[in-house]
Amino acid sequence: MENEKKKTVFSGIQPSGNLTIGNYLGALRNFSQFTDEYDCLYCVVDQHAITVRQDPAELRRRTYEVLALYIACGLDPEKSILYVQSHVPAHAQLGWVLDCFTMFGELSRMTQFKDKSQKNADNINAGLFTYPVLMAADILLYQADLVPVGEDQKQHIEITRDIANRFNQVYGPTFTVPEPFIKSGSGAKVQSLAEPEKKMSKSDPNENAVVRVLDDKDTMIRKFRRAVTDSGSEVRRADDKPGIGNLMTIYSCFTGKTDEQIEAEFAGKGYGDFKTAVGEACAAELGPIQEKYKKLLADKAYLESVMKNNSARAAYLARKTLSKVYRKIGFTSV
Ligand code: ATP
Ligand code: LTN
């Protein structure tokens, strides 16, 4: 058992905005639990981010920020590979090959493509359409076994599996077929505070709809207090109370309490007290992360050394898969 090869975990977050507690609870918070037993790669997927127009200076700044947050949340760059997608050319190279193994029809059915085309009607570019193929390349390049993501990414993991199976059927075993890791029921689906039927999204233009990982405590409490809820006053999960249900999910994630415990805690107290408590619980967990983050961000040279060393480690692994793929499809090498 000792020298049995460890399984691999891969995940990525786009530097397309300041991260929300949706990104944190659905993805980031779960990343560190794998680092002892798996070989882990966590990527800042800047190439995915440009499927929506980005300001260059902001994209650059956010790339450092997401990397610093990875580390502040407990990921160790000596142990896990923390790197930036565009620093490893093999992602785009495998992406092209996999484009030729992905059907127009299956990409047309992707709900994220439909959503984002609606939100960015003036820029429905080909990258937005082939986004899932680049994501499949990210995962398959490292022969990942497990991909921790939020519920919204399930369909993208399914298409990754389909692409891998299709390629393996034609050329023989080449790619590991990955499984999603979605923490069902607890933070895998955090909804918008303004429209609780929509997911909380870091690129939402309505700042009151999202709580950011880096918001200060007062801002967090203010945003939770403004969250849209129904006209009742009872803290209870019910189909006609999506706003309160969402806040209960968030509170439960930060405190570990069950719905019954939350209902008992706020019996007879009303929404105001509950919302403040959600803000306080959120700030209590994120405060120490913010402190670490600030120190890391001030040390750009350190972050750059992490980027450099880790992209070399990732590139080495990626190159192995890419060479195998090139050989199998009949590309020449000299
Ligand atoms: P954008 O608004 O730019 O599309 P996003 O907020 O959806 O971004 P991504 O970078 O696409 O964030 O996602 C990073 C990770 O966070 C993914 O694993 C995704 O599933 C997870 N995630 C994003 N939003 C939520 C949410 N509201 N609830 C739970 N998980 C989420
Ligand atoms: N598509 C993801 C981000 C992403 C990703 C990945 C996640 C890009 N490549 C590989 C897991 C594995 C998103 O939009 N949240």
Side-chain angles (χ1 to χ4, degrees), residues 11-13 27-35 40 42 70 75 148:
S11 196
I13 295 185
L28 193 48
R29 178 156 92 155
N30 303 320
F31 289 175
S32 60
Q33 76 189 72
F34 300 105
T35 56
C40 297
Y42 296 115
Y70 278 172
L75 298 173

Side-chain angles (χ1 to χ4, degrees), residues 15-164:
S16 51
N18 294 329
L19 300 206
T20 69
I21 57 166
N23 301 127
Y24 177 73
L25 295 175
L28 193 48
R29 178 156 92 155
N30 303 320
F31 289 175
S32 60
Q33 76 189 72
F34 300 105
T35 56
D36 286 336
E37 278 159 45
Y38 291 80
D39 286 326
C40 297
L41 296 107
Y42 296 115
C43 186
V44 184
V45 289
D46 53 350
Q47 288 169 307
H48 278 106
I50 63 160
T51 54
V52 172
R53 202 64 74 226
Q54 302 289 337
D55 174 76
E58 274 191 18
L59 179 62
R60 200 168 291 121
R61 178 173 56 76
R62 287 190 178 128
T63 302
Y64 283 90
E65 289 173 357
V66 177
L67 181 71
L69 260 185
Y70 278 172
I71 304 171
C73 287
L75 298 173
D76 174 356
E78 301 290 325
K79 200 162 156 192
S80 304
I81 302 185
L82 312 180
Y83 73 107
V84 178
Q85 188 184 32
S86 64
H87 296 178
V88 179
H91 291 250
Q93 290 169 308
L94 182 63
W96 174 254
V97 173
L98 298 182
D99 274 335
C100 304
F101 290 84
T102 309
M103 300 302 132
F104 184 87
E106 57 190 344
L107 289 176
S108 313
R109 289 193 288 276
M110 293 289 121
T111 52
Q112 182 173 301
F113 171 67
K114 291 188 223 167
D115 279 1
K116 294 225 165 165
S117 311
Q118 260 181 8
K119 285 189 199 151
N120 304 282
D122 56 343
N123 182 23
I124 308 178
N125 60 72
L128 199 59
F129 189 64
T130 59
Y131 179 114
V133 188
L134 181 59
M135 177 160 164
D138 297 341
I139 298 167
L140 300 179
L141 258 186
Y142 301 97
Q143 308 290 355
D145 297 277
L146 207 60
V147 187
V149 281
E151 182 75 38
D152 62 305
Q153 293 301 307
K154 199 170 170 187
Q155 199 185 25
H156 285 163
I157 310 295
E158 272 157 21
I159 196 174
T160 301
R161 291 170 56 86
D162 292 342
I163 296 169

Side-chain angles (χ1 to χ4, degrees), residues 14 16 22-23 116 149-150 152-153 188 190 199-203:
Q14 303 181 69
S16 51
N23 301 127
K116 294 225 165 165
V149 281
D152 62 305
Q153 293 301 307
V190 176
K199 89 160 188 166
M200 185 181 286
S201 169
K202 69 168 115 68
S203 52

